[in-house]
Amino acid sequence: LLVLSSVPIIAVADTSEDEYLTYTISNGEATITGCDTSISGDYEIPSTLGGCPVTAIGNNAFEKCKSLTSVTIPDSITSIGNSVFHSCTSLTSVSIPDSVTSLGYYTFYGCKKLSSVTIGSGVTTIGSYNFYGCTSLISITIPDSVTSIAGGAFRDCTSLTAIVIPDSVTSIGTSAFHGCTSLTNVTIPNSITSIGTYVFRGCTSLESIEIPDSVTSIGSAFYGCTSLTSVTIPDSVTSLGERVFQNCSALTNVEIPDSVTSIGNYAFANCTALTSIEIPESVTSISSSAFNGCDIVICGYEGSAAETYAESSGITFVELCRHLNTEIINAKDVSCTENGYTGDVFCTDCSEVISEGTVIIAAGHDYKIADSKNATCTEDGFMTYACSVCGDTYTETIPAVGHDYSIVTTAASCTEDGYTTYTCINCGESYIADETSATGHDYTSTTTAATCTEDGSIVYTCSVCGDTYAETIAAAGHNYELTESKTATCTEDGFITYICSACGDTYTETISASGHSYGEWTVTVEPDYEIEGEQQRTCSVCGNVETETIAPLDDTATDDPTVSCTHFCHSESSFVQFFYKIIRFLWKIFGINQYCECGAAHY
């Protein structure tokens, strides 16, 4: 009969993978199940075995590998089983990666040389007796991911001096720090509500402990803490369990709050340094063995359980004053500069200070601005403050801010210098610096030639700024040359025509006719009575002969009635006139021409 069963595959790793490990593969994941105990030195656990990722280290996998000094665990690991490194007595350091979420119990039990441990942020529980007997472990950081510390987790870690328990932890198991004889300081978070059995038992170097307000019950947590000198129990605690401070032989002072209602068996047994204790009226139950081995005085109130216990146990009882009549003493008003004091509550019945007051911290001056002047660029300002409470004043100088210049650069032009203007944006003050000379014009010229009648010009234009100016080229004037002429005569005008050799312009000058240049008249035909005569003259230039008629002679001396001649020939006598007519007729025949002094002819 063949019986098949489902079992994990067990394989020994090939030497090409790892010569020390054994492992199983299930669902495509490898779990390390064992290791050759001859392994030594530093060892890095492989992340794959048999072609599969290594996700777990099984129970007792590296137990008693006594020559192994350090281990590197890969990120592929999520689970570490029980007693994995149990009794690895040479192991000094180990780092648990963030990928690990489950850490079994007795993991590093008896690793006496383990001094350095890093716990990854994936771990939520530090299992039972995980570091039991790790006597070289000096310190350890517990990550915020941890919510519980199981029983015996750090038991007998005799070199552990301090530990900070994060706020994430809500429970601490029995004997978690039992026998940590070098532990001097522990911080317990407000997340803890109960400190259980023997949690700090035998922590012989622990001198003080601060119990948070979250704790409501304390078991036999501090049994045998022989260096513990004082404990303040918070108002949240309602019971002190059995053996809570048993054998705390250095304990001299314990303050029990009004919230506590019971004190358990052997709670303060053998606290030999504790000489007195005040038990509040809230305590209604005290175990008969609570103060065994103590030479103590119990202070309490009349009729209280404390009085009953003291009387039944043969312990000296000192009645406490109920402080029905009190007053405030030593009070002091607070000022701006000096602390005040609320004052002590003083019982006038027992002359005891019941409670001390509190210091009122000087609040400091309440300064407000009383006067101010803004700083300028060149002058300091100030701010004067006055305390609204006490009137104290002080003045702060506000330094002159200095000019904050904006810079405007004016480039040099052809005709004007360049410069940089610095103007303060705050006050407007300005100055000019960094001057540069004008560059001068860079002229190019365009020439329009002059003509005979119109001026020419040279126009200069600056290639930089466009400025222009012109120079006139004076008209050259015509350069006339004689081209044609005709001489004037006595009766016809002449002319001279000129042409400009440059432009071809012409003009003509008229030479007026000179006119005849006649000589004296010459009578060519003498006039007679009633017969015209003739006279001629000749032009000396052209020889032209001008003929002119001479009017006939008149038989009167003159035809001009304005002429009044008194000569005889002009007598008005008809006889004389007749006589002269005959005479003139004769003269005419003989060619004699006579004239009167008045110009009239006598013929």
Side-chain angles (χ1 to χ4, degrees):
L1 178 66
L2 179 63
V3 179
L4 297 176
S5 61
S6 177
V7 296
I9 298 173
I10 300 175
V12 177
D14 295 337
T15 55
S16 60
E17 289 188 310
D18 195 288
E19 59 183 318
Y20 296 106
L21 301 180
T22 59
Y23 59 91
T24 62
I25 295 176
S26 178
N27 297 321
E29 296 180 348
T31 298
I32 297 172
T33 58
C35 180
D36 186 339
T37 57
S38 66
I39 190 171
S40 63
D42 300 338
Y43 182 68
E44 183 175 344
I45 297 174
S47 59
T48 60
L49 288 170
C52 296
V54 177
T55 60
I57 304 175
N59 297 339
N60 307 96
F62 291 89
E63 185 178 359
K64 294 183 181 179
C65 291
K66 295 184 177 181
S67 297
L68 189 64
T69 57
S70 72
V71 174
T72 300
I73 301 172
D75 290 341
S76 61
I77 302 292
T78 60
S79 174
I80 298 177
N82 302 328
S83 300
V84 169
F85 298 99
H86 191 296
S87 300
C88 291
T89 54
S90 296
L91 187 65
T92 60
S93 66
V94 67
S95 178
I96 301 171
D98 293 343
S99 58
V100 174
T101 58
S102 175
L103 193 63
Y105 53 83
Y106 291 98
T107 306
F108 299 99
Y109 185 102
C111 295
K112 296 180 179 180
K113 292 185 179 180
L114 186 64
S115 60
S116 174
V117 176
T118 300
I119 301 175
S121 61
V123 174
T124 58
T125 299
I126 297 177
S128 298
Y129 302 99
N130 268 172
F131 298 96
Y132 190 149
C134 293
T135 56
S136 296
L137 189 63
I138 297 173
S139 66
I140 190 168
T141 299
I142 300 173
D144 290 340
S145 58
V146 173
T147 59
S148 66
I149 300 173
F154 296 96
R155 182 167 179 171
D156 291 340
C157 291
T158 55
S159 296
L160 190 65
T161 58
I163 193 162
V164 175
I165 302 171
D167 290 341
S168 57
V169 175
T170 58
S171 66
I172 302 175
T174 300
S175 296
F177 298 96
H178 187 163
C180 293
T181 56
S182 296
L183 190 64
T184 60
N185 185 36
V186 176
T187 300
I188 301 174
N190 282 324
S191 54
I192 299 296
T193 59
S194 175
I195 303 176
T197 304
Y198 299 145
V199 172
F200 297 101
R201 179 173 179 172
C203 292
T204 55
S205 295
L206 190 63
E207 296 178 355
S208 65
I209 186 117
E210 184 175 340
I211 301 171
D213 291 341
S214 59
V215 173
T216 59
S217 65
I218 305 174
S220 54
F222 301 100
Y223 186 116
C225 291
T226 56
S227 295
L228 191 64
T229 58
S230 67
V231 175
T232 298
I233 301 169
D235 291 343
S236 57
V237 175
T238 59
S239 66
L240 297 177
E242 64 178 35
R243 304 182 190 277
V244 59
F245 296 106
Q246 185 175 352
N247 292 341
C248 292
S249 55
L251 188 63
T252 59
N253 182 45
V254 176
E255 293 183 12
I256 301 174
D258 290 340
S259 58
V260 174
T261 60
S262 65
I263 300 174
N265 292 331
Y266 302 101
F268 295 95
N270 300 320
C271 291
T272 54
L274 189 63
T275 58
S276 68
I277 191 168
E278 185 175 316
I279 301 175
E281 281 188 291
S282 60
V283 174
T284 58
S285 173
I286 303 174
S287 172
S288 61
S289 60
F291 294 95
N292 279 5
C294 296
D295 185 7
I296 194 169
V297 173
I298 294 177
C299 301
Y301 296 97
E302 182 181 2
S304 66
E307 183 181 21
T308 301
Y309 173 80
E311 290 177 353
S312 64
S313 301
I315 296 174
T316 301
F317 178 76
V318 176
E319 182 181 344
L320 296 174
C321 178
R322 293 186 183 278
H323 309 307
L324 300 178
N325 298 294
T326 61
E327 63 181 22
I328 302 297
I329 62 172
N330 302 324
K332 179 183 177 183
D333 291 335
V334 67
S335 70
C336 294
T337 56
E338 294 185 357
N339 293 340
Y341 188 65
T342 60
D344 302 322
V345 179
F346 179 75
C347 179
T348 57
D349 293 334
C350 66
S351 300
E352 180 182 343
V353 173
I354 301 169
S355 63
E356 294 181 349
T358 57
V359 174
I360 306 170
I361 302 300
H365 294 294
D366 181 20
Y367 285 114
K368 299 184 185 301
I369 297 172
D371 192 13
S372 65
K373 176 185 175 183
N374 291 331
T376 67
C377 297
T378 56
E379 293 184 357
D380 293 341
F382 66 84
M383 192 79 74
T384 298
Y385 298 88
C387 178
S388 62
V389 178
C390 69
D392 181 72
T393 63
Y394 74 95
T395 298
E396 291 180 348
T397 298
I398 304 171
V401 296
H403 293 299
D404 184 6
Y405 288 109
S406 64
I407 300 173
V408 177
T409 300
T410 301
S413 69
C414 298
T415 57
E416 295 184 356
D417 293 341
Y419 55 88
T420 299
T421 302
Y422 295 83
T423 303
C424 178
I425 63 175
N426 296 318
C427 70
E429 191 271 343
S430 66
Y431 70 93
I432 290 174
D434 307 325
E435 296 184 7
T436 56
S437 299
T439 58
H441 292 298
D442 181 14
Y443 286 114
T444 58
S445 62
T446 301
T447 301
T448 301
T451 66
C452 297
T453 57
E454 293 182 354
D455 292 341
S457 65
I458 302 175
V459 177
Y460 296 89
T461 302
C462 179
S463 61
V464 177
C465 70
D467 179 74
T468 63
Y469 75 93
E471 291 180 353
T472 300
I473 303 172
H478 293 298
N479 182 24
Y480 285 113
E481 295 178 353
L482 180 64
T483 183
E484 185 180 2
S485 66
K486 176 183 178 184
T487 304
T489 66
C490 294
T491 57
E492 293 183 356
D493 293 339
F495 64 86
I496 300 176
T497 298
Y498 296 90
I499 187 168
C500 178
S501 61
C503 69
D505 181 73
T506 63
Y507 76 94
T508 298
E509 290 181 353
T510 299
I511 305 173
S512 298
S514 60
H516 295 295
S517 180
Y518 290 109
E520 293 294 328
W521 287 98
T522 300
V523 177
T524 56
V525 178
E526 291 289 339
D528 199 356
Y529 291 104
E530 299 178 357
I531 299 174
E532 294 178 344
E534 185 182 82
Q535 60 181 358
Q536 292 181 340
R537 58 181 179 178
T538 302
C539 175
S540 61
V541 175
C542 66
N544 182 62
V545 176
E546 183 180 15
T547 301
E548 185 178 70
T549 300
I550 301 172
L553 296 177
D554 191 2
D555 59 355
T556 60
T558 179
D559 293 327
D560 188 355
T562 63
V563 178
S564 178
C565 183
T566 58
H567 292 111
F568 177 75
C569 61
H570 289 103
S571 173
E572 295 180 359
S573 173
S574 59
F575 173 75
V576 174
Q577 291 181 3
F578 178 75
F579 174 73
Y580 265 95
K581 283 186 180 182
I582 296 173
I583 294 297
R584 287 196 300 269
F585 177 75
L586 294 176
W587 284 345
K588 186 174 181 181
I589 293 174
F590 292 104
I592 298 171
N593 188 15
Q594 293 294 325
Y595 294 90
C596 178
E597 289 181 3
C598 67
H602 286 172
Y603 38 54

